[in-house]
Every structure is written in C-alpha cells, then in structure tokens.
Amino acid sequence: MWKLSNRRNDMSTEPESRLNVIPIRDQIANIIRKMILTGELKGGELIRERHFSELFNVSTTPVKEAFRILQAEGLIYTKPRSGTYVSDISVETMLQIIYMRSALDGVAAYFAALLATDEDIACLGKILDEIGKMIEQKASGEEISEKNAVFHEELRHLAQNDYLVTLIHNVNAIDAAFRSLALHKPVEHPRSHCEHVAIYEAIKARDANKAECLMQEHIRRVANFVVNEDK
C-alpha cells in the first residue's frame, strides 16, 4: 500500500535545511516512477488521474502535476482524446541515464575533494555518523534513503558549482527511484554506507581522482543491484 507523508525531513543539521516538506505532487511522482521502474506499470499501459487520486486519497490536482513531471522526464505521454500512457522506456535506457548521473556526481566528488573546507568535510562526516546510527537502530529504508539523499546533496554543493548541481538534478529523479528501491532492502544499508564512508575518506584525504572513481562505482553498483536483484 503506497502512502503519502506530511512529515518534514529531519532539520537537525545545517545541510538538511535545504530540504523542505516534500510536495504531494513530488511524492506521487516518486511512487509512480518506482511503479514504472519495477514493471508494476508497463509500457503502453493506460493510466488515469482519477485512479491515482482515489488510490492516494487526494484531489486530482496534485496527480495532474505529478503527471506533468513524469511526462517531462519521458516516462509517460499523452495522446489527444485518448488518455495518458506509460512510455516504452527500457530498463537499459534508465541505466544509461543513471550512468550519466554517476559521471556528473563523480565530477562533484572530484571538486569537493579539492575545494571543500575542513569544516565542510567535518559536516559531511557528521551526516555519515547519523546514517551509521540509523542503520544500527534499524531505521526504515525510507528514513535511511532520505538521509543518504542529504549526504549526496551536501557533497554536490561542496563542489561549488551551481551549474553542475543543476545538471545533476536534471537527471536525478530516475536515479533517486533506484536508490530508494535499493535501500528498502536491509542488505543494502551497510553496503551503501561503507561506500559512502570510502568516498568521504577520499575527499578528506584530498584524493580527487579516487573520490571521483568511488562515487561513479557506487552509483552504478546500486543501479545494477536493483535491476539484477530479482533475476
């Protein structure tokens, strides 16, 4: 059963102040995106706003807005006088998008290693400490996924390049769905965390090349884990 949340993300640390309450339209878009990714919604399938408004117990307005987001991403399309359909986008195409994002986030890690202050790096370490505690306390996959998103977002800003951050956000939605699905599997929690720590250590050591490589490998491994897990 899919559920929407009115909960505000944890605002206890400064980087997270960049994250506000997630709009209902974005929550709906995230859920439908995951349904497409997992094959619950298949290419060519007709989807209706009324169905999702009843499913989520909301008006059709945020569903319409979610549909516009997904259409801009190419995941759904509308036929005049016919309806809205799921695109025939393949998992392979989604993986290609994630590989593009891994390259961009790798560049962000590279420049973070060169440009971040010691204070910035300490803040990044604090986020990882919080994630480690959440894993020990067996927090939900959703909570860990949200905190991991904070880690990635903060690291991008340490690259000090707004254009790079914008490019990453343009291809981030599908990747975020992959990461969220992966982190609903408890086996993935410590594995992703160890990889994040390794990236952090490379940045702390000012090893830009290693930070870039580790970030690319991490993002691609998570995506392939989701794709191949049930095969």
Side-chain angles (χ1 to χ4, degrees):
M1 180 69 178
W2 297 104
K3 294 182 179 179
L4 304 180
S5 172
N6 292 317
R7 178 169 61 84
R8 180 178 292 273
N9 289 318
D10 181 8
M11 305 290 281
S12 58
T13 60
E14 183 179 350
E16 294 170 79
S17 64
R18 296 192 180 100
L19 301 178
N20 299 316
V21 174
I22 301 175
I24 297 298
R25 67 172 183 272
D26 291 334
Q27 295 185 55
I28 294 172
N30 287 340
I31 292 171
I32 297 175
R33 192 181 292 114
K34 291 174 189 175
M35 294 172 76
I36 294 171
L37 174 61
T38 59
E40 187 173 347
L41 293 175
K42 302 186 183 304
E45 183 173 342
L46 175 66
I47 56 175
R48 294 183 172 86
E49 294 170 0
R50 178 62 60 186
H51 166 75
F52 287 106
S53 69
E54 293 173 355
L55 181 64
F56 301 129
N57 195 27
V58 296
S59 71
T60 57
T61 298
V63 178
K64 290 178 186 291
E65 294 170 348
F67 274 24
R68 282 196 288 269
I69 292 170
L70 296 169
Q71 187 164 354
E73 294 174 0
L75 294 178
I76 65 175
Y77 63 95
T78 299
K79 289 183 179 179
R81 298 179 297 280
S82 178
T84 301
Y85 297 83
V86 177
S87 298
D88 288 318
I89 183 170
S90 66
V91 171
E92 287 74 19
T93 299
M94 290 190 224
L95 279 174
Q96 290 172 2
I97 293 170
I98 292 174
Y99 271 48
M100 286 189 288
R101 183 236 151 174
S102 74
L104 292 170
D105 259 324
V107 171
Y110 179 94
F111 283 107
L114 297 178
L115 302 175
T117 66
D118 291 343
E119 184 180 358
D120 290 333
I121 294 172
C123 188
L124 202 62
K126 183 179 178 181
I127 296 171
L128 287 176
D129 288 342
E130 293 174 358
I131 295 172
K133 291 176 182 176
M134 292 173 69
I135 293 171
E136 289 177 1
Q137 296 167 0
K138 301 188 184 305
S140 70
E142 179 184 3
E143 291 171 317
I144 294 173
S145 181
E146 288 178 3
K147 187 69 74 170
N148 278 342
V150 172
F151 169 79
H152 279 280
E153 188 69 12
E154 179 62 11
L155 191 153
R156 292 165 192 152
H157 283 279
L158 297 187
Q160 300 180 28
N161 187 317
D162 290 341
Y163 183 64
L164 176 61
V165 172
T166 299
L167 287 176
I168 293 171
H169 285 174
N170 287 343
V171 296
N172 194 46
I174 291 176
D175 173 74
F178 268 88
R179 283 187 287 113
S180 179
L181 286 169
L183 287 168
H184 275 77
K185 308 294 183 181
V187 68
E188 180 61 21
H189 299 170
R191 189 161 50 197
S192 278
H193 184 61
C194 286
E195 291 171 356
H196 285 166
V197 170
I199 294 165
Y200 162 77
E201 293 293 346
I203 291 172
K204 187 177 180 180
R206 306 296 182 177
D207 190 336
N209 289 320
K210 185 175 182 180
E212 180 178 16
C213 289
L214 289 174
M215 178 62 80
Q216 286 188 11
E217 291 170 0
H218 164 64
I219 292 171
R220 294 176 183 187
R221 184 200 60 75
V222 170
N224 283 292
F225 166 71
V226 172
V227 170
N228 297 314
E229 186 216 4
D230 295 324
K231 290 184 179 180

